[in-house]
Amino acid sequence: MEKYLYIALFAPLVSSLFSALFTATPKKLFTGIVASLLIFTSFIASTILLVHILKGGEPIHVTMMTWMATGDLYIPFGFVVDQISVTMMMVVTLVSTVVHVYSIGYMDHDKGFNRFFSWLSAFVFSMMILVMSDNYAGLFIGWEGVGLCSWGLIGFWFHKESATWAANEAFIMNRIADLGMLIGLFLIYWNTGTLQYDGAFTAFHELPAATLTWIGIFLFIGAMGKSAQFPLHTWLADAMEGPTPVSALIHAATMVTAGVYLVIRSHELYSLIPHVGLFIASLGTFVAIFAASMALVNRDMKRIIAYSTLSQLGYMFAAAGLGAYWVALFHLMAHAGFKALLFLGAGNVMHAMHDELDPFKMGGLKKVMKWTWIMMVIGSLALAGVIPFAGFFSKDTILEAAYSGNHMVIYGVLLFTAGLTAFYSFRLVALIFHGEERYKLFGIHPHEAYRFMLWAMSPLLLIAIGAGVLQTPFFDMVEEALNAHEYHIAHGTALIMLVGTQMFVGLAILYAYKKYANSRVTVPDGTSKMENSFMYKLLINQYYIPYAYEEYFVKPYRELSEVFWTKVDLKIVDATVDGIAAIIYGTGEKTRKMQSGNLSTMLTWMVAGLIGLLLLAVVFGLAARYSDEILVFLSALGV
């Protein structure tokens, strides 16, 4: 099985390097095909490893080589395939394969076609390192790798100032969080003497609660940045400036789930500090409703789906914080499928609408984009948690976890958020695919996506429809690794909860259709009563948090930097350096006459030099001869 581990890990690297060979050349179709086949090879290898684990096989540990060995510090390039990592491997490689194939059509006319596939495959390789490493140091290598690749992909269209700004924002905000994670890793090594998962998890049981608390807090700070949790959340929506396949892969299925994976992988730690877990669950619950509320009024198709991702990440952290790590991992897996499906469906709509993102300028696209409509409806049903689609099984279990633990506030907020999710999801579907064909007002002639792009999306469609049947086998697989179990709620109570939740979600969907799926919907112009209301302005401006960051952090930092530049750098540092250079240059100018080449002048300088040397010899000779007298004289002077 070891060879399949290497294939799964390194096939994406080969894909990236192969595509990089052609980045300076015009688009080559075979670049996308070969890159996609190599990612598919990684998926096949991951599937073989999954079957091995499902059959009860032992986890596979591989140590390739020693990375660091100095004193007591030993960090190998080691990898592990167990119940947790193989789940993430399947998610990463399956969604990546779909996105690679889809991108062949989506990026068809882009000049950076080959460069795009190189970055995309490099991202997959970094993510595989992150989830397959058997130690925190290796995880951090992959962690930083996906950060770098996301910067390259978000800012892929670097000629757009908004894209480069969004890429820098994501990169810098993640670096802030990564400082916290580095402190956490330092604390782990300082107190346990190792960064290997097995050794650290064993040592955690011997550490005082205060030490474990600080380790858990600092690791979670890193998770907050990567998974865009409040207050480090603003980069996720802005990252929609990148190509849509990037959003489907990085900002729905892989990179943003890395923070959740870190908490799940560190479950041995967080199980010992339930008070930190409760904070994580509370923050996740807040983020779930916080992001959902902003999606209610937004007029950017991709940002609405991005806020949905942020909200669902809140659900995952809520489950993990409550100790239901297996539920969080299952929701991560199911969400990756239906959310990537929604993003790629949005990509189809963008191509059809000449990159238009405002759903109010669409309408009636069901007639010309039937298959995209079907896929986005099913993806939205899964996202809303409607029976029998994937989201129902994962989200309902999260609600059960909150209810069983008697966390009624968390339960109530997550339940209400489920209704908001259903509303904004079908608000988007209704505005895009139903009602009057408003796009005709803007001279747009939409069309369906390439057939092979639709076929590429079909595995995600199957996940959205049928992932629920995998729940029991999945829980059985991770039972030992994550202490998975079923929540026992009285049958009558469980039935009331189920019916109530489905009715609430159903009513939200019906209200969304009633309000937006009709011919009376017009393109908002900023004059309606709703658009002038305080709540609408609050939500459309993201609670003014980006404005606050700009006013109270970015601008003061920029002004302070300008002061240091003009007052310190130019007038002190540069002036000092330039002054020294001017003195040396002036001295050189004045002594240049010594090398004039004139024999008479040079003889004069030679004689002057000889006289100078003789004078120095006389002075030093006299000083040596009368040294005692000189010392007595200096003493008398008090020197």
Side-chain angles (χ1 to χ4, degrees):
M1 286 293 147
E2 190 174 314
K3 65 181 179 182
Y4 295 111
L5 183 152
Y6 288 127
I7 293 172
L9 177 62
F10 289 110
L13 175 61
V14 176
S15 173
S16 177
L17 295 175
F18 175 81
S19 301
L21 293 174
F22 305 99
T23 52
T25 63
K27 172 209 164 185
K28 294 183 182 294
L29 183 62
F30 75 87
T31 304
I33 295 173
V34 172
S36 301
L37 287 173
L38 285 166
I39 300 297
F40 181 67
T41 301
S42 181
F43 168 69
I44 295 298
S46 299
T47 304
I48 294 171
L49 294 169
L50 173 65
V51 172
H52 167 76
I53 296 295
L54 285 173
K55 288 183 176 179
E58 290 294 318
I60 303 167
H61 286 265
V62 170
T63 300
M64 288 181 57
M65 65 187 76
T66 298
W67 177 31
M68 291 185 186
T70 174
D72 294 331
L73 177 63
Y74 172 71
I75 304 176
F77 274 119
F79 302 94
V80 61
V81 176
D82 59 9
Q83 295 90 335
I84 302 172
S85 61
V86 80
T87 301
M88 292 298 296
M89 290 165 64
M90 290 297 297
V91 170
V92 172
T93 54
L94 175 58
V95 176
S96 299
T97 301
V98 170
V99 169
H100 273 72
V101 175
Y102 178 92
S103 297
I104 295 174
Y106 190 89
M107 303 297 290
D108 184 39
H109 302 296
D110 198 285
K111 293 180 180 179
F113 183 88
N114 302 331
R115 178 169 57 91
F116 178 81
F117 278 94
S118 182
W119 273 116
L120 202 64
S121 298
F123 173 85
V124 179
F125 174 61
S126 298
M127 192 70 192
M128 292 295 278
I129 290 177
L130 191 157
V131 302
M132 294 175 69
S133 290
D134 67 353
N135 61 82
Y136 282 108
L139 179 146
F140 191 72
I141 294 174
W143 192 274
E144 294 303 295
V146 295
L148 172 64
C149 293
S150 68
W151 173 82
L153 288 166
I154 296 169
F156 181 77
W157 289 317
F158 53 82
H159 54 276
K160 293 170 57 179
E161 184 178 351
S162 57
T164 56
W165 186 91
N168 289 335
E169 181 192 20
F171 191 82
I172 293 169
M173 196 160 286
N174 274 274
R175 298 294 72 71
I176 295 170
D178 290 353
L179 175 60
M181 185 176 177
L182 277 173
I183 296 173
L185 298 187
F186 173 79
L187 289 175
I188 291 174
Y189 178 73
W190 184 265
N191 289 280
T192 68
T194 181
L195 290 173
Q196 297 294 117
Y197 294 145
D198 294 343
F201 294 161
T202 301
F204 285 156
H205 292 273
E206 307 299 326
L207 296 180
T211 301
L212 294 175
T213 298
W214 282 113
I215 293 173
I217 289 172
F218 281 114
L219 286 183
F220 181 62
I221 290 173
M224 287 170 62
K226 199 66 74 183
S227 293
Q229 295 297 284
F230 178 88
L232 305 176
H233 65 283
T234 55
W235 71 266
L236 182 60
D238 293 334
M240 296 304 105
E241 288 289 339
T244 302
V246 173
S247 304
L249 179 62
I250 297 181
H251 306 118
T254 51
M255 174 179 160
V256 295
T257 61
V260 181
Y261 171 77
L262 175 62
V263 174
I264 295 171
R265 176 54 81 181
S266 303
H267 67 278
E268 295 273 7
L269 166 65
Y270 287 103
S271 296
L272 299 172
I273 44 175
H275 52 290
V276 176
L278 183 59
F279 169 76
I280 292 173
S282 301
L283 180 63
T285 302
F286 166 75
V287 171
I289 192 169
F290 172 72
S293 65
M294 292 187 287
L296 294 174
V297 300
N298 201 275
R299 287 180 53 180
D300 185 308
M301 175 173 56
K302 287 178 66 178
R303 281 179 175 263
I304 292 171
I305 303 175
Y307 286 132
S308 170
T309 297
L310 186 55
S311 181
Q312 298 308 303
L313 287 169
Y315 272 91
M316 296 175 207
F317 276 116
L322 294 175
Y325 304 103
W326 64 99
V327 180
L329 188 58
F330 183 70
H331 189 49
L332 184 158
M333 180 179 67
H335 172 264
F338 59 71
K339 185 53 62 65
L341 179 67
L342 287 172
F343 266 119
L344 296 184
N348 292 348
V349 174
M350 284 182 64
H351 262 203
M353 294 293 296
H354 303 170
D355 292 332
E356 178 58 61
L357 288 167
D358 187 350
F360 281 93
K361 296 181 180 179
M362 301 177 189
L365 288 178
K366 173 185 173 183
K367 298 177 183 177
V368 292
M369 302 185 71
K370 179 181 177 181
W371 290 109
T372 298
W373 168 69
I374 292 172
M375 290 184 177
M376 290 196 71
V377 167
I378 291 175
S380 298
L381 288 169
L383 173 61
V386 176
I387 295 178
F389 299 97
F392 162 74
F393 294 92
S394 56
K395 292 172 73 173
D396 188 65
T397 314
I398 294 174
L399 292 173
E400 288 179 0
Y403 186 87
S404 298
N406 202 31
H407 300 289
M408 302 312 295
V409 174
I410 292 177
Y411 171 80
V413 173
L414 292 179
L415 178 61
F416 183 68
T417 302
L420 297 183
T421 303
F423 174 80
Y424 69 67
S425 298
F426 282 89
R427 167 183 177 262
L428 185 63
V429 170
L431 286 171
I432 294 173
F433 295 103
H434 299 276
E436 187 179 359
E437 297 163 344
R438 296 181 296 278
Y439 59 83
K440 292 182 177 179
L441 300 173
F442 304 95
I444 298 174
H445 303 285
H447 55 82
E448 184 59 279
Y450 295 134
R451 189 169 296 274
F452 81 88
M453 294 169 67
L454 297 173
W455 278 109
M457 295 166 64
S458 58
L460 304 177
L461 182 66
L462 294 176
I463 293 174
I465 295 172
V469 302
L470 303 175
Q471 186 181 47
T472 300
F474 174 77
F475 285 178
D476 290 341
M477 181 182 76
V478 301
E479 179 179 6
E480 183 178 350
L482 295 174
N483 191 29
H485 59 270
E486 293 184 2
Y487 290 99
H488 297 289
I489 301 176
H491 180 71
T493 303
L495 183 61
I496 292 172
M497 289 170 58
L498 173 62
V499 173
T501 302
Q502 291 299 299
M503 287 183 63
F504 184 44
V505 168
L507 289 173
I509 293 173
L510 290 175
Y511 180 64
Y513 265 104
K514 182 178 183 301
K515 187 173 179 63
Y516 294 105
N518 58 66
S519 58
R520 296 192 302 275
V521 174
T522 58
V523 181
D525 58 2
T527 60
S528 71
K529 182 177 180 180
M530 183 189 76
E531 289 179 289
N532 288 316
S533 67
F534 169 77
M535 185 56 66
Y536 179 88
K537 291 180 179 179
L538 188 67
L539 296 178
I540 201 68
N541 288 290
Q542 305 172 58
Y543 293 94
Y544 293 97
I545 293 174
Y547 173 80
Y549 286 173
E550 178 69 22
E551 289 295 317
Y552 301 114
F553 291 99
V554 178
K555 282 187 178 179
Y557 180 78
R558 185 186 298 122
E559 291 170 0
L560 184 63
S561 299
E562 189 159 342
V563 168
F564 274 100
W565 173 50
T566 55
K567 305 297 183 183
V568 178
D569 191 44
L570 291 180
K571 294 187 177 181
I572 298 177
V573 178
D574 284 0
T576 301
V577 174
D578 292 344
I580 294 172
I583 291 170
I584 294 173
Y585 183 81
T587 303
E589 282 289 313
K590 292 178 179 179
T591 57
R592 183 181 295 176
K593 297 177 181 179
M594 295 171 63
Q595 299 294 331
S596 64
N598 185 284
L599 182 59
S600 177
T601 302
M602 294 180 70
L603 286 172
T604 302
W605 279 111
M606 287 174 63
V607 171
L610 180 60
I611 293 171
L613 289 173
L614 289 172
L615 288 173
L616 283 174
V618 170
V619 170
F620 282 114
L622 291 173
R625 173 69 179 79
Y626 297 104
S627 58
D628 293 338
E629 289 80 353
I630 293 172
L631 289 174
V632 171
F633 177 73
L634 291 175
S635 298
L637 293 176
V639 178

